[in-house]
Amino acid sequence: GENVEQHPSTLSVQEGDSAVIKCTYSDSASNYFPWYKQELGKRPQLIIDIRSNVGEKKDQRIAVTLNKTAKHFSLHITETQPEDSAVYFCAASRGTNAGKSTFGDGTTLTVKP
Amino acid sequence: DVKVTQSSRYLVKRTGEKVFLECVQDMDHENMFWYRQDPGLGLRLIYFSYDVKMKEKGDIPEGYSVSREKKERFSLILESASTNQTSMYLCASRPTGAGSPLHFGNGTRLTVT
């Protein structure tokens, strides 16, 4: 089955700096890669996703890049703010009907004011 | 907006009890999932269902079963609760089709004593 590895497990940055979280996956048939943000005590929520026919996607301060050959994808957050502090999860899934997602172990991001 | 509702936010049960965790979604999604979340281990898939009365094992199904009698409702059952099943349980749903994100419930924090 699919295996997703996520690094680092914790990340601390100063407000205004950039943050990068990286994930690798093992199943070459995976073609959908979402990123979820989970604030303390809340549910995980989608912040950005990318499909395998795209190399990069941006949404304001957030971007995701995908390298299909190397089987890795990354989340980039620029101009970090204290409200970006949360646990971030990457995931990978195939484009089948159920499309079960395999998650990374999560990265706890702390943005220091 | 998709709403996924888990019946209990907190639950305390005794070892050996039969436990039911209920999840209801209001967006007519075909696919529903139960994940378990533990610190440092990410989200691990217990069971999923792609249609009424259909179920598939995830990565950690041992000690659990599920029921999906109606499209909107997906129940997780702990036949005989054990202390190592103390965890946060997250229900999620998604529509059929490639590349759609999961919509999560708020989670049930289960403690087995």
Side-chain angles (χ1 to χ4, degrees):
Chain A
E2 175 68 278
N3 182 50
V4 176
E5 294 191 359
Q6 182 173 345
H7 298 280
S9 56
T10 59
L11 181 59
S12 182
V13 300
Q14 286 295 135
E15 183 176 358
D17 287 351
S18 294
V20 180
I21 302 171
K22 299 182 179 181
C23 289
T24 60
Y25 61 99
S26 60
D27 185 356
S28 56
S30 289
N31 57 10
Y32 177 64
F33 307 93
W35 286 88
Y36 297 88
K37 175 184 180 182
Q38 187 177 30
E39 296 176 0
L40 193 63
K42 296 191 176 180
R43 70 186 79 189
Q45 291 193 295
L46 178 78
I47 53 170
I48 195 167
D49 56 9
I50 192 167
R51 291 165 180 77
S52 60
N53 59 346
V54 175
E56 183 175 358
K57 184 177 178 180
K58 278 186 180 179
D59 182 4
Q60 299 183 340
R61 297 186 297 110
I62 294 172
V64 57
T65 58
L66 171 66
N67 183 327
K68 282 174 56 181
T69 304
K71 296 212 261 307
H72 67 70
F73 56 112
S74 300
L75 177 71
H76 304 254
I77 307 173
T78 58
E79 300 171 23
T80 53
Q81 300 167 3
E83 51 265 39
D84 294 330
S85 296
V87 180
Y88 292 81
F89 293 98
C90 63
S93 65
R94 293 185 175 192
T96 55
N97 281 340
K100 64 172 190 170
S101 294
T102 300
F103 284 80
D105 288 346
T107 296
T108 301
L109 173 65
T110 303
V111 180
K112 298 177 186 175
Chain B
D1 198 20
V2 178
K3 193 165 184 183
V4 180
T5 303
Q6 293 183 231
S7 55
S8 303
R9 194 67 196 268
Y10 299 95
L11 214 50
V12 180
K13 295 292 182 181
R14 293 194 179 273
T15 302
E17 277 193 82
K18 190 168 186 176
V19 182
F20 293 85
L21 302 183
E22 307 286 347
C23 176
V24 176
Q25 50 96 3
D26 66 357
M27 283 303 291
D28 204 36
H29 286 171
E30 292 81 6
N31 306 298
M32 297 188 74
F33 305 80
W34 275 105
Y35 283 89
R36 171 177 170 160
Q37 183 175 17
D38 299 288
L41 297 178
L43 282 72
R44 293 180 291 166
L45 182 63
I46 304 171
Y47 266 96
F48 65 103
S49 168
Y50 54 88
D51 202 352
V52 175
K53 296 193 185 296
M54 306 303 290
K55 60 184 179 185
E56 294 268 354
K57 291 181 180 179
D59 301 316
I60 53 165
E62 297 78 17
Y64 304 95
S65 63
V66 289
S67 172
R68 191 153 181 216
E69 295 296 318
K70 293 185 178 181
K71 191 175 185 180
E72 67 271 18
R73 186 181 296 270
F74 192 34
S75 302
L76 180 69
I77 303 156
L78 286 66
E79 296 290 343
S80 177
S82 63
T83 54
N84 62 12
Q85 293 178 310
T86 292
S87 187
M88 171 67 82
Y89 291 88
L90 288 164
C91 175
S93 72
R94 74 193 297 174
T96 290
S100 56
L102 291 166
H103 299 267
F104 286 92
N106 278 327
T108 296
R109 169 78 62 188
L110 173 67
T111 302
V112 182
T113 61

